[in-house]
């Protein structure tokens, strides 16, 4: 069985890595904050002091970090993965990042005989814990076949989208839909509250019809409980929307709904809520209404 590297042990990564250990894989881990690796070490994972060390020990290395700059540092920085790459090793970036960045990294890894895949995910912290993530994969057909058994430990809906970069472009489409849906769900909650509806009953009712969606099923109940802790952080969503808008501009596309949603989230971030979950958007709409409704 392959030796697996895993870098990035945040809300998503820790659960994803844990599922690989539970499946019997030998894991080599790294995270900037070492304490986040303690639970995995207790389960048998090996701590490495640098990304380079992870690459040297592992046959296949997964990364899921925060921002494009973090991806660049982990792969191409001092003691980065590129320095431990060698012929036959496989690297898979599951961060949501710029398609062009993963494509650039793929070229540099190929110079060392290593292979690259981009495989961003959707499904939040719940999907990561339960192994039900949607995984959008960009790589060669051969590498996809090699990675598929590992993806199946982390997700359910796993799709090979095409060459490197295709996974990231698919994730951008996913985030565009989520942005609009999050606005719609938040507006519905504020509207329902103002109209005096039983919000729990309302959510249950409309989720059974054409409005049914993951956001209604998973995030609306959190809002009703006053739970604004992150399954996916505002800061990271702003990053994703920025990437999508940048790519859209490059393709000479106008995405006005996405641009508006990003501005609402920037207002939330300015209020110090950047570390909260994306469902906190409802608070921005309350502010626009002039008083607390929920």
């Amino acid at each position: 069985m392959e030796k697996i590297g895993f870098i990035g042990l945040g809300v998503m990564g820790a659960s994803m890595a844990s599922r690989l250990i539970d499946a019997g894989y030998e894991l080599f881990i790294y995270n900037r904050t070492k304490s986040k690796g303690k639970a995995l070490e207790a389960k048998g994972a090996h701590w490495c002091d640098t990304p380079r060390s992870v690459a040297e020990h592992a046959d296949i290395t997964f990364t899921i970090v925060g921002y494009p700059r973090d991806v660049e540092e982990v792969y191409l920085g001092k003691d980065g993965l590129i320095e431990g790459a060698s012929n036959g090793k496989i690297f898979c970036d599951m961060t949501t990042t710029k398609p062009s960045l993963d494509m650039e990294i793929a070229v540099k890894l190929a110079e060392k005989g290593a292979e690259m895949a981009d495989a961003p995910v959707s499904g939040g912290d719940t999907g990561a814990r339960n192994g039900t993530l949607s995984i959008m994969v960009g790589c060669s057909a051969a590498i996809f076949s090699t990675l598929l058994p590992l993806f199946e430990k982390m997700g359910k809906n796993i799709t090979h989208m095409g060459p490197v970069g295709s996974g990231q472009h698919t994730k951008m489409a996913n985030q565009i839909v989520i942005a609009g849906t999050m606005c719609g769900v938040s507006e519905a909650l504020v509207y329902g509250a103002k109209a005096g509806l039983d919000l729990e009953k309302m959510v249950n009712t409309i989720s059974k019809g054409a409005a049914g969606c993951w956001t209604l099923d998973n995030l609306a109940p959190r809002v009703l409980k006053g739970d604004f802790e992150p399954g996916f952080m505002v800061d990271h969503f702003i990053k994703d929307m920025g990437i999508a808008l940048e790519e859209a501009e490059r393709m000479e596309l106008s995405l006005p709904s996405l641009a508006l949603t990003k501005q609402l989230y920037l207002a939330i971030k300015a209020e110090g809520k950047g570390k909260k979950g994306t469902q906190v958007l409802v608070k921005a709409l309350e502010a626009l209404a002039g008083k607390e409704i929920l």
Side-chain angles (χ1 to χ4, degrees):
M1 187 175 281
E2 297 97 341
K3 294 179 179 179
I4 307 300
F6 208 101
I7 296 177
L9 305 175
V11 171
M12 303 286 287
S15 293
M16 294 159 71
S18 183
R19 293 189 65 84
L20 293 175
I21 292 180
D22 291 343
Y25 289 97
E26 185 177 5
L27 221 63
F28 295 85
I29 60 173
Y30 171 80
N31 194 75
R32 283 184 301 190
T33 305
K34 187 174 181 179
S35 60
K36 291 186 177 181
K38 292 298 182 183
L40 291 169
E41 285 187 89
K43 295 181 72 169
H46 308 287
W47 176 262
C48 296
D49 289 327
T50 63
R52 174 179 182 166
S53 179
V54 173
E56 289 171 342
H57 284 93
D59 303 305
I60 299 170
T61 298
F62 294 96
T63 56
I64 181 163
V65 292
Y67 297 88
R69 64 177 179 270
D70 301 317
V71 174
E72 188 168 10
E73 181 182 352
V74 161
Y75 277 91
L76 306 178
K78 184 178 184 300
D79 286 324
L81 290 169
I82 192 76
E83 295 185 13
S86 59
N87 191 55
K89 290 184 181 288
I90 299 172
F91 298 86
C92 180
D93 184 25
M94 304 186 83
T95 314
T96 297
T97 190
K98 296 179 181 179
S100 58
L101 177 56
D102 275 347
M103 293 165 73
E104 175 191 344
I105 291 168
V107 170
K108 293 182 182 298
L109 287 170
E111 293 171 358
K112 293 205 163 192
E115 298 278 358
M116 177 71 172
D118 66 306
V121 301
S122 181
D125 58 336
T126 302
R129 285 195 304 272
N130 296 335
T132 57
L133 294 168
S134 291
I135 306 177
M136 306 147 238
V137 190
C139 61
S140 69
I143 295 303
F144 179 74
S145 295
T146 300
L147 292 175
L148 185 57
L150 293 158
F151 288 145
E152 288 174 338
K153 305 304 179 187
M154 297 181 278
K156 293 295 183 187
N157 181 30
I158 304 155
T159 310
H160 182 212
M161 298 304 303
V164 175
S166 301
Q168 298 294 354
H169 280 302
T170 305
K171 181 62 185 288
M172 288 302 107
N174 182 85
Q175 300 305 75
I176 291 166
V177 171
I178 288 175
T181 305
M182 197 69 242
C183 265
V185 169
S186 297
E187 288 180 354
L189 289 171
V190 172
Y191 177 92
K194 186 70 172 179
L197 296 177
D198 179 323
L199 292 183
E200 192 170 323
K201 189 181 291 186
M202 182 201 80
V203 168
N204 184 59
T205 299
I206 69 175
S207 67
K208 301 300 189 291
C213 62
W214 187 95
T215 304
L216 265 179
D217 291 342
N218 292 273
L219 296 184
R222 292 192 188 189
V223 172
L224 299 186
K225 294 174 184 174
D227 177 5
F228 297 103
E229 292 310 301
F232 187 54
M233 281 197 298
V234 166
D235 283 346
H236 290 165
F237 197 31
I238 290 171
K239 176 261 296 183
D240 292 356
M241 289 186 285
I243 292 171
L245 287 166
E246 184 179 318
E247 291 295 318
E249 183 176 353
R250 185 181 61 81
M251 293 185 282
E252 299 183 347
L253 292 175
S254 176
L255 303 178
S257 176
L258 182 64
L260 172 60
T261 305
K262 184 187 175 191
Q263 290 304 312
L264 290 171
Y265 274 106
L266 285 171
I268 291 169
K269 179 180 174 69
E271 293 176 358
K273 297 185 176 75
K275 304 302 181 188
K276 295 295 184 180
T278 52
Q279 67 272 24
V280 80
L281 176 62
V282 74
K283 289 299 181 183
L285 297 178
E286 282 184 343
L288 291 173
K291 68 174 184 177
E292 191 169 302
I293 297 172
L294 292 165

